[in-house]
Amino acid sequence: MKNMDHNAHSVYLLCYHLVMVVKYRRKVIDDPISDRAKEIFEYIAPRYGIILEEWNHDIDHVHVMFRAQPKTELSKFINAYKSASSRLIKKEYPEIREKLWKEAFWSQSFCLMTAGGAPPEVIRQYIESQGEKN
């Protein structure tokens, strides 16, 4: 990820850490379900200018690191992903219905954080020092 991304008019590096939790924190994610959820992510992501960098799971949530473009509508992508993956996972793994009887697989909420680059305080100091003679 050392290389910057670019388009016709800009250079950027937009990295995010996303955490999605199973509805009611139900403990239903195993390796096959995580692999299928990742596969769905990788299928939908390019339509939104998103590139998956890292994926891992625990029994009730997943951690995802991805890169995006300035034009990417993150909340639209996340909602589209959660909707499609909920539908497909519950259809393909019917045993989940014992623990998640309604439509949703994922909790409605999610945690999205920027990742990579310098901490805000370092950037603030850099901006403040512009124009100073050393």
Side-chain angles (χ1 to χ4, degrees), residues 59-101:
I59 54 178
D60 64 355
H61 66 279
V62 297
H63 286 268
V64 186
M65 188 169 80
F66 64 89
R67 291 193 339 246
Q69 299 174 355
K71 68 179 182 180
T72 300
E73 296 181 272
L74 296 173
S75 61
K76 280 189 179 179
F77 165 71
I78 293 167
N79 288 330
Y81 168 73
K82 285 170 44 175
S83 177
S85 60
S86 282
R87 187 176 63 257
L88 291 168
I89 288 169
K90 291 188 88 174
K91 179 180 171 191
E92 296 168 17
Y93 298 89
E95 64 274 16
I96 288 174
R97 291 186 185 274
E98 295 169 16
K99 293 187 177 181
L100 292 164
W101 50 93

Coordinates of all heavy atoms in Angstrom, one line a residue, residues 59-101:
I59 N -16.0 -14.8 15.8 CA -17.3 -15.5 15.7 C -18.5 -14.7 15.6 O -19.5 -15.1 15.1 CB -17.5 -16.5 16.9 CG1 -17.3 -15.8 18.2 CG2 -16.5 -17.7 16.8 CD1 -17.6 -16.7 19.4
D60 N -18.4 -13.4 15.9 CA -19.6 -12.5 15.8 C -19.3 -11.2 15.1 O -20.1 -10.3 15.1 CB -20.1 -12.2 17.2 CG -19.1 -11.4 18.1 OD1 -18.0 -11.2 17.7 OD2 -19.6 -11.1 19.2
H61 N -18.1 -11.0 14.4 CA -17.9 -9.8 13.7 C -16.7 -10.0 12.7 O -16.0 -11.0 12.8 CB -17.6 -8.6 14.6 CG -16.3 -8.8 15.4 ND1 -16.2 -9.5 16.5 CD2 -15.1 -8.3 15.2 CE1 -15.0 -9.5 17.0 NE2 -14.2 -8.7 16.2
V62 N -16.6 -9.1 11.7 CA -15.5 -9.1 10.8 C -14.8 -7.8 10.8 O -15.4 -6.8 11.1 CB -16.0 -9.4 9.3 CG1 -16.6 -10.8 9.2 CG2 -16.9 -8.4 8.8
H63 N -13.5 -7.9 10.5 CA -12.6 -6.7 10.3 C -12.2 -6.6 8.9 O -11.8 -7.7 8.4 CB -11.4 -6.8 11.2 CG -11.6 -6.6 12.7 ND1 -11.6 -5.3 13.3 CD2 -12.0 -7.4 13.6 CE1 -11.8 -5.4 14.5 NE2 -12.1 -6.7 14.8
V64 N -12.3 -5.5 8.3 CA -12.0 -5.3 6.9 C -11.1 -4.1 6.7 O -11.5 -3.0 7.3 CB -13.3 -5.1 6.0 CG1 -12.9 -5.1 4.5 CG2 -14.3 -6.2 6.3
M65 N -10.0 -4.2 6.0 CA -9.3 -3.0 5.6 C -9.4 -2.9 4.1 O -9.2 -3.9 3.4 CB -7.8 -3.1 6.0 CG -7.1 -1.8 5.8 SD -5.4 -1.8 6.6 CE -4.5 -2.7 5.4
F66 N -9.7 -1.7 3.7 CA -9.9 -1.5 2.2 C -9.4 -0.1 1.8 O -9.3 0.8 2.6 CB -11.3 -1.7 1.8 CG -12.4 -0.8 2.4 CD1 -12.7 0.4 1.7 CD2 -13.0 -1.1 3.6 CE1 -13.6 1.3 2.2 CE2 -14.0 -0.2 4.1 CZ -14.3 1.0 3.4
R67 N -9.2 0.1 0.5 CA -8.9 1.4 -0.1 C -10.1 1.8 -0.9 O -10.8 1.0 -1.5 CB -7.7 1.3 -1.0 CG -6.4 1.0 -0.2 CD -5.1 1.2 -1.1 NE -5.2 1.2 -2.5 CZ -4.7 0.2 -3.3 NH1 -4.0 -0.8 -2.7 NH2 -4.8 0.3 -4.6
A68 N -10.3 3.1 -0.9 CA -11.4 3.7 -1.7 C -10.9 4.9 -2.5 O -9.7 5.3 -2.4 CB -12.5 4.2 -0.7
Q69 N -11.8 5.4 -3.3 CA -11.5 6.6 -4.1 C -12.2 7.8 -3.5 O -13.2 7.6 -2.8 CB -12.0 6.4 -5.6 CG -11.4 5.2 -6.2 CD -12.0 4.9 -7.6 OE1 -13.0 5.5 -8.0 NE2 -11.4 3.9 -8.3
P70 N -11.8 9.0 -3.9 CA -12.5 10.2 -3.3 C -14.0 10.2 -3.7 O -14.8 10.7 -2.9 CB -11.7 11.4 -4.0 CG -10.4 10.9 -4.3 CD -10.6 9.4 -4.6
K71 N -14.3 9.7 -4.8 CA -15.8 9.7 -5.2 C -16.6 8.6 -4.6 O -17.8 8.6 -4.7 CB -15.9 9.6 -6.7 CG -15.5 8.3 -7.3 CD -15.6 8.3 -8.8 CE -15.2 6.9 -9.3 NZ -15.3 6.7 -10.7
T72 N -15.9 7.7 -3.9 CA -16.6 6.5 -3.3 C -17.7 7.0 -2.2 O -17.3 7.7 -1.4 CB -15.6 5.5 -2.6 OG1 -14.7 5.1 -3.6 CG2 -16.4 4.3 -2.0
E73 N -18.9 6.5 -2.4 CA -19.9 6.8 -1.4 C -19.9 5.6 -0.4 O -20.5 4.6 -0.6 CB -21.3 6.9 -2.1 CG -21.3 8.1 -3.0 CD -22.7 8.3 -3.6 OE1 -22.9 7.7 -4.7 OE2 -23.5 9.0 -3.0
L74 N -19.2 5.8 0.7 CA -18.9 4.7 1.6 C -20.2 4.1 2.2 O -20.3 2.9 2.3 CB -17.9 5.1 2.7 CG -16.5 5.5 2.2 CD1 -15.7 6.1 3.3 CD2 -15.8 4.3 1.6
S75 N -21.1 4.9 2.7 CA -22.3 4.4 3.4 C -23.1 3.6 2.4 O -23.7 2.6 2.7 CB -23.1 5.5 4.1 OG -23.5 6.5 3.2
K76 N -23.2 4.1 1.1 CA -24.0 3.4 0.1 C -23.4 2.0 -0.2 O -24.1 1.0 -0.3 CB -24.1 4.2 -1.2 CG -25.1 5.3 -1.2 CD -25.3 5.8 -2.6 CE -26.3 6.9 -2.6 NZ -26.5 7.5 -3.9
F77 N -22.0 2.0 -0.3 CA -21.4 0.7 -0.5 C -21.6 -0.3 0.7 O -22.0 -1.4 0.5 CB -19.9 0.9 -0.7 CG -19.1 -0.4 -0.5 CD1 -19.2 -1.4 -1.5 CD2 -18.4 -0.7 0.6 CE1 -18.6 -2.6 -1.3 CE2 -17.7 -1.9 0.8 CZ -17.8 -2.9 -0.2
I78 N -21.4 0.2 1.9 CA -21.6 -0.6 3.1 C -23.0 -1.2 3.2 O -23.2 -2.4 3.4 CB -21.2 0.1 4.4 CG1 -19.6 0.4 4.3 CG2 -21.5 -0.7 5.6 CD1 -19.2 1.4 5.4
N79 N -24.0 -0.3 2.9 CA -25.4 -0.8 3.0 C -25.7 -1.8 1.9 O -26.4 -2.8 2.1 CB -26.3 0.4 2.9 CG -26.3 1.2 4.2 OD1 -26.1 0.6 5.3 ND2 -26.6 2.5 4.2
A80 N -25.1 -1.5 0.7 CA -25.3 -2.5 -0.4 C -24.7 -3.8 -0.1 O -25.3 -4.9 -0.3 CB -24.8 -1.9 -1.7
Y81 N -23.5 -3.8 0.4 CA -22.8 -5.0 0.8 C -23.5 -5.8 1.9 O -23.7 -7.0 1.7 CB -21.3 -4.7 1.3 CG -20.8 -5.9 1.9 CD1 -20.4 -7.0 1.1 CD2 -20.7 -6.1 3.3 CE1 -19.9 -8.2 1.6 CE2 -20.2 -7.3 3.8 CZ -19.8 -8.3 3.0 OH -19.4 -9.5 3.5
K82 N -23.9 -5.1 2.9 CA -24.6 -5.8 4.0 C -25.9 -6.4 3.6 O -26.2 -7.5 4.0 CB -24.8 -4.8 5.2 CG -23.5 -4.5 6.0 CD -23.5 -3.5 7.0 CE -24.7 -3.4 7.9 NZ -24.5 -2.4 8.9
S83 N -26.6 -5.7 2.7 CA -27.9 -6.2 2.2 C -27.7 -7.4 1.4 O -28.3 -8.5 1.6 CB -28.6 -5.1 1.4 OG -29.8 -5.6 0.8
A84 N -26.8 -7.4 0.4 CA -26.5 -8.5 -0.5 C -26.0 -9.7 0.3 O -26.4 -10.8 0.1 CB -25.6 -8.1 -1.6
S85 N -25.0 -9.5 1.2 CA -24.4 -10.6 1.9 C -25.4 -11.2 2.9 O -25.4 -12.4 3.1 CB -23.1 -10.1 2.6 OG -23.3 -9.1 3.5
S86 N -26.2 -10.4 3.5 CA -27.2 -10.9 4.4 C -28.1 -11.9 3.7 O -28.3 -13.0 4.1 CB -28.1 -9.8 5.0 OG -27.5 -9.1 6.0
R87 N -28.6 -11.5 2.5 CA -29.5 -12.3 1.7 C -28.8 -13.6 1.3 O -29.4 -14.7 1.5 CB -30.0 -11.5 0.5 CG -31.1 -12.1 -0.3 CD -31.6 -11.3 -1.4 NE -30.5 -10.9 -2.4 CZ -29.9 -9.8 -2.5 NH1 -30.2 -8.8 -1.6 NH2 -29.0 -9.6 -3.4
L88 N -27.6 -13.5 0.8 CA -27.0 -14.7 0.2 C -26.5 -15.6 1.3 O -26.7 -16.8 1.2 CB -25.8 -14.2 -0.6 CG -26.2 -13.6 -2.0 CD1 -24.9 -12.9 -2.6 CD2 -26.8 -14.5 -2.9
I89 N -25.9 -15.1 2.4 CA -25.4 -16.0 3.4 C -26.6 -16.7 4.1 O -26.5 -17.9 4.4 CB -24.6 -15.2 4.5 CG1 -23.3 -14.7 3.9 CG2 -24.4 -16.0 5.8 CD1 -22.5 -13.7 4.7
K90 N -27.7 -16.0 4.4 CA -28.8 -16.7 5.0 C -29.5 -17.8 4.1 O -30.0 -18.8 4.6 CB -29.8 -15.7 5.5 CG -29.3 -14.9 6.7 CD -30.3 -14.0 7.3 CE -31.0 -14.8 8.4 NZ -31.9 -14.1 9.2
K91 N -29.4 -17.5 2.8 CA -29.9 -18.5 1.8 C -29.0 -19.7 1.7 O -29.4 -20.8 1.7 CB -30.1 -17.8 0.5 CG -30.6 -18.7 -0.7 CD -30.7 -17.9 -2.0 CE -31.0 -18.8 -3.1 NZ -30.8 -18.1 -4.4
E92 N -27.7 -19.4 1.7 CA -26.7 -20.5 1.5 C -26.4 -21.3 2.7 O -25.8 -22.4 2.6 CB -25.4 -19.9 0.8 CG -25.7 -19.3 -0.6 CD -24.6 -18.5 -1.1 OE1 -23.4 -18.6 -0.6 OE2 -24.8 -17.7 -2.1
Y93 N -26.6 -20.7 3.9 CA -26.3 -21.3 5.2 C -27.6 -21.3 6.0 O -27.7 -20.6 7.0 CB -25.2 -20.6 5.9 CG -23.9 -20.7 5.1 CD1 -23.6 -19.7 4.2 CD2 -23.0 -21.7 5.3 CE1 -22.4 -19.8 3.5 CE2 -21.8 -21.8 4.6 CZ -21.5 -20.8 3.7 OH -20.3 -20.9 2.9
P94 N -28.6 -22.2 5.7 CA -29.9 -22.1 6.3 C -29.8 -22.4 7.9 O -30.7 -21.9 8.6 CB -30.7 -23.2 5.6 CG -29.8 -24.0 4.8 CD -28.5 -23.2 4.6
E95 N -28.7 -23.0 8.3 CA -28.6 -23.3 9.8 C -28.5 -22.0 10.6 O -28.8 -22.0 11.8 CB -27.4 -24.2 10.0 CG -26.1 -23.6 9.7 CD -25.6 -23.8 8.2 OE1 -26.5 -24.1 7.4 OE2 -24.4 -23.6 8.0
I96 N -28.2 -20.9 9.9 CA -28.0 -19.6 10.6 C -29.4 -19.1 11.1 O -29.5 -18.5 12.1 CB -27.4 -18.6 9.7 CG1 -25.9 -18.9 9.5 CG2 -27.6 -17.2 10.2 CD1 -25.2 -18.0 8.5
R97 N -30.5 -19.6 10.4 CA -31.8 -19.1 10.7 C -32.2 -19.5 12.1 O -33.1 -18.9 12.7 CB -32.8 -19.6 9.7 CG -32.6 -19.0 8.3 CD -33.7 -19.4 7.3 NE -33.4 -18.9 6.0 CZ -33.8 -17.6 5.6 NH1 -34.4 -16.8 6.5 NH2 -33.5 -17.2 4.4
E98 N -31.6 -20.5 12.7 CA -31.9 -20.9 14.1 C -31.6 -19.8 15.0 O -32.2 -19.6 16.1 CB -31.2 -22.2 14.5 CG -31.7 -23.4 13.7 CD -30.8 -24.6 13.8 OE1 -30.0 -24.6 14.8 OE2 -30.9 -25.5 13.0
K99 N -30.5 -19.0 14.7 CA -30.0 -18.0 15.6 C -30.4 -16.6 15.1 O -30.5 -15.6 15.9 CB -28.5 -18.0 15.7 CG -28.0 -19.3 16.5 CD -26.5 -19.3 16.7 CE -26.1 -20.5 17.5 NZ -24.7 -20.5 17.8
L100 N -30.7 -16.4 13.8 CA -31.1 -15.2 13.3 C -32.3 -15.4 12.4 O -32.3 -15.7 11.3 CB -29.9 -14.6 12.4 CG -28.7 -14.2 13.1 CD1 -27.5 -14.1 12.1 CD2 -28.9 -12.9 13.8
W101 N -33.5 -15.3 13.1 CA -34.7 -15.6 12.4 C -35.3 -14.6 11.5 O -36.1 -14.8 10.7 CB -35.7 -16.0 13.5 CG -35.8 -15.0 14.6 CD1 -36.7 -14.0 14.7 CD2 -35.0 -14.9 15.7 NE1 -36.5 -13.2 15.8 CE2 -35.5 -13.8 16.5 CE3 -33.9 -15.6 16.2 CZ2 -34.9 -13.4 17.7 CZ3 -33.4 -15.2 17.4 CH2 -33.8 -14.1 18.1

